[in-house]
Amino acid sequence: MRTREEVLQYVRSFPNVYEERPFRDQGWQLVRVKGSKKTFLWIYERNGYVNLNVKVDPQWRDFWRSTYASVIAGYHQNKEHWNTIILDGSIPENEIQRMISESYDLITDSPTKRIYEAVKKIPKGHVATYGKVAELAGDAKMARAVGNALHKNPDPEHIPCFRVVNAKGELAGAFAFGGESVQAQLLEADGIEVIDGKVDLKKYGI
């Protein structure tokens, strides 16, 4: 990966991104996330090479800089949180992609995203309450937000929201899964016993 177009081809595969050239120097290109409008990638040319500025977790910042000579402190940005990748051919493409992907993940972190990640961790054969999911997502006070997020679940196949029940072990209303007994059927297929619309939290709760 050495050209601007190769980089753009990769980042265009990310959800909800768009490109912008907001500066007088049109050589500077930003890739942002829709909604928040936050930038996770800066693309520009310097000293004959395409350069990328990516956000970085401080605990990984020095690892990347020490591993590759062409990864340096963020040019024109906060050097604690940004790295610059110089596309001179010395860094393997998969590593460049990993750094870009990590930048995107840092920028797109949100309570909703943390909720979905928490739900993914509920093991087969178990359930979690809304409060427990909120706790796993880092804020025990956002149980209501858990319900809202799961109602908008964009990927039920990989985010098993049917494993989430209320504080009494009761299942969600029929509207949540498109039918009166759909959640019960999914839980029973998971090996969980459902009696009168409830799950025994002492037996199946995490």
Side-chain angles (χ1 to χ4, degrees):
M1 185 180 287
R2 298 188 68 164
T3 69
R4 185 184 295 256
E5 193 51 45
E6 287 175 315
V7 173
L8 290 171
Q9 186 176 351
Y10 174 63
V11 298
R12 284 168 183 158
S13 68
F14 289 23
N16 300 317
V17 301
Y18 66 99
E19 299 146 32
E20 193 172 54
R21 296 178 189 255
F23 306 120
R24 182 176 298 174
D25 181 350
Q26 291 292 289
W28 282 76
Q29 191 168 7
L30 310 185
V31 185
R32 301 182 187 268
V33 177
K34 293 176 183 176
S36 70
K37 298 183 180 179
K38 290 183 178 180
T39 303
F40 70 95
L41 180 66
W42 300 61
I43 309 172
Y44 55 96
E45 293 177 28
R46 185 166 177 255
N47 298 329
Y49 294 109
V50 173
N51 281 216
L52 311 176
N53 282 11
V54 293
K55 194 161 190 181
V56 63
D57 187 321
Q59 66 181 350
W60 283 96
R61 176 194 62 217
D62 298 331
F63 166 80
W64 290 117
R65 293 178 191 175
S66 62
T67 302
Y68 297 106
S70 294
V71 176
I72 61 175
Y75 175 66
H76 263 324
Q77 287 186 275
N78 183 313
K79 294 173 173 40
E80 182 179 353
H81 296 284
W82 290 84
N83 276 347
T84 293
I85 307 168
I86 303 168
L87 300 186
D88 60 3
S90 65
I91 308 171
E93 181 169 328
N94 67 310
E95 296 283 65
I96 297 170
Q97 291 178 345
R98 180 179 165 191
M99 285 184 272
I100 294 172
S101 180
E102 287 175 354
S103 180
Y104 175 82
D105 287 344
L106 286 168
I107 289 296
T108 56
D109 181 50
S110 68
T112 298
K113 182 178 177 181
R114 294 198 302 274
I115 287 167
Y116 291 150
E117 290 303 315
V119 173
K120 288 179 185 178
K121 294 175 183 175
I122 304 171
K124 182 177 180 180
H126 292 80
V127 297
T129 64
Y130 293 98
K132 183 63 176 180
V133 171
E135 183 184 320
L136 292 171
D139 185 352
K141 297 179 181 178
M142 63 179 184
R144 185 182 295 274
V146 172
N148 292 335
L150 297 187
H151 184 56
K152 302 171 184 175
N153 185 352
D155 188 8
E157 185 177 346
H158 298 104
I159 304 170
C161 56
F162 68 89
R163 293 179 184 151
V164 183
V165 297
N166 73 14
K168 297 178 181 179
E170 296 169 341
L171 309 193
F175 72 90
F177 294 91
E180 187 72 41
S181 58
V182 175
Q183 185 179 11
Q185 291 170 0
L186 291 168
L187 288 170
E188 287 166 351
D190 235 10
I192 297 170
E193 189 176 30
V194 179
I195 301 175
D196 295 329
K198 291 181 67 174
V199 171
D200 185 344
L201 291 176
K202 290 182 180 179
K203 186 175 182 180
Y204 298 107
I206 61 171

